[in-house]
Structure formats: structure tokens, C-alpha cells
Amino acid sequence: MREILGKRRRLLSKRSDGRTELMDSALTFATEWQWPVLPGVMADQRSTSRCSCPDPECTVPGAHPFDPGLLAATTDGRMVRWWWSNRPAAPIVLATGGPAPCAVSLPALAAARALVALDAQGMRLGPVVASPTRWFLLVRPYTMEQLGELLYAKDFVPGSLRFHGEGGYITLPPSETGRGDIWWERAPLPGSASPWVPDVEAVVDAVVDALTRTGVSAPEL
């Protein structure tokens, strides 16, 4: 079964009790899917293109952990409620690896072309998180040893590919960051169970093949 397109349908919507969509989404990720999350630092209110963290050169404004740090990510619903009750506009940050999915990301334009190629091949993908600059294909957790062996076996891996594993993070929908909204390009299918995600080997093999074809190459971003 293919994943539905996230732009056409939001995973969650506001509830009648007035709780925000961000809190509802964070609770679903943490308590139903058992994905450890935490609030990200928000964009600077004076300039949404800047981050409110102390780093004036921050390259991911509003899209990373700061206080609390990444190690605070949790699946505890009480903690999630407390965080988003106090910071209702905070982005939702997923700590990748461990019990949570990892991700493979690539520049947005190249990702859009790659997904078309993978669909034509009948490749089954899991959820895909998108931002204005990069898209993130969720995969099953992997170790650095697994990733190293996988990449070593390939003749060429585009430098535009990035890997978000143990100790990493990505920002989840429906967050808003200094670079723009985060959305589901391929949304998880509705239901309470944690979404299905493919093995990293299958995704990397298919994406590298798609990116190295004529007309589907990715810029080194």
C-alpha cells in the first residue's frame, strides 16, 4: 500500500478542546508511536529567518534542539504536555535512532525527482518529511557500522545525501521554522500504530541509483 501525499491531507487537525495541533501531533508521535520528541528552539520573533539560539550564524533557524538538549527527548506524555503548554509554537524535534526511525535526506528538488523515479520503479517508501530546502525519507534504525559497510560497498555516493541516525535529529510536521513550514510529502497512513518504514539499504540503493541517472542528479548541497 502506498503512502498518501501529505500536501493533500494533514495527519492531524485541531481538536475541539482547543489544544494546539502541535501538541496533538507531539503527543501522537511520543505516546502512540513511541518516537522520542522534544521542543525545538523557535525562530527569532524579530526576524523569522534568524534563530533565537545564541548562535548568530545558525544554519537551521528554529529547527534544532537548544533548551532542553537532545538527550531530553522523551515518549512521556506528561512531559510533552508540559513542554507544549509552555511553548505552544515550538517545533517538534524527533531524536533519530534507538526506538525511533532514522532518515536519509537530500535537497528538495533532487528529492522530488528521485521520488518520481522510485514511484515508477514501484519502490515502497515510508513517510517522507519535507522542508523548503531538504526532504527526509524515514528508514528503520541503523548503526554507524551498518551505514559504513553500506556506503563502502558503493562506487559512488552523492555528497548531497545526508544521514540522520543515532544521536541525530529531524524536525517533524506541522512545525514552522525560520526556513519555512515542515510538512508530510508522504504522510503516514492513519492509525495508532507506529508507521511502517523501509530498511536503509533499500532506500540508499534506490536513491543513489535514481540520483546518478541522467537528468536526476543532485547538486552537492
Side-chain angles (χ1 to χ4, degrees), residues 112-195:
R113 293 173 176 172
L115 260 61
V116 170
L118 298 185
D119 285 343
Q121 296 173 19
M123 170 78 183
R124 183 187 180 190
L125 294 173
V128 177
V129 175
S131 76
T133 56
R134 294 190 74 83
W135 290 10
F136 303 79
L137 285 65
L138 300 190
V139 297
R140 292 178 186 170
Y142 56 78
T143 65
M144 292 304 296
E145 290 76 13
Q146 286 177 299
L147 180 62
E149 291 177 2
L150 173 63
L151 299 182
Y152 181 77
K154 295 197 170 299
D155 294 329
F156 172 73
V157 176
S160 56
L161 282 184
R162 296 179 187 167
F163 301 91
H164 311 264
E166 188 74 31
Y169 63 87
I170 64 172
T171 307
L172 294 176
S175 302
E176 295 180 7
T177 74
R179 295 291 177 84
D181 291 346
I182 308 296
W183 71 90
W184 293 110
E185 181 62 28
R186 298 286 174 89
L189 295 175
S192 59
S194 181

Side-chain angles (χ1 to χ4, degrees), residues 117-118 121 154 158 203-214 216:
L118 298 185
Q121 296 173 19
K154 295 197 170 299
V203 169
V204 171
D205 286 346
V207 168
V208 169
D209 178 64
L211 292 181
T212 51
R213 293 182 182 184
T214 303
V216 197

Side-chain angles (χ1 to χ4, degrees), residues 1-2 17 19 22 31 33 37 46 63 70 77 99 108 117 122 136 138 140 158 174 177 180 187-188 196 204 220:
M1 182 179 294
R2 288 183 55 190
D17 60 11
R19 288 186 296 171
L22 280 164
T31 62
W33 298 356
V37 299
R46 296 166 296 180
L70 186 62
F136 303 79
L138 300 190
R140 292 178 186 170
T177 74
W196 177 87
V204 171
E220 300 294 315

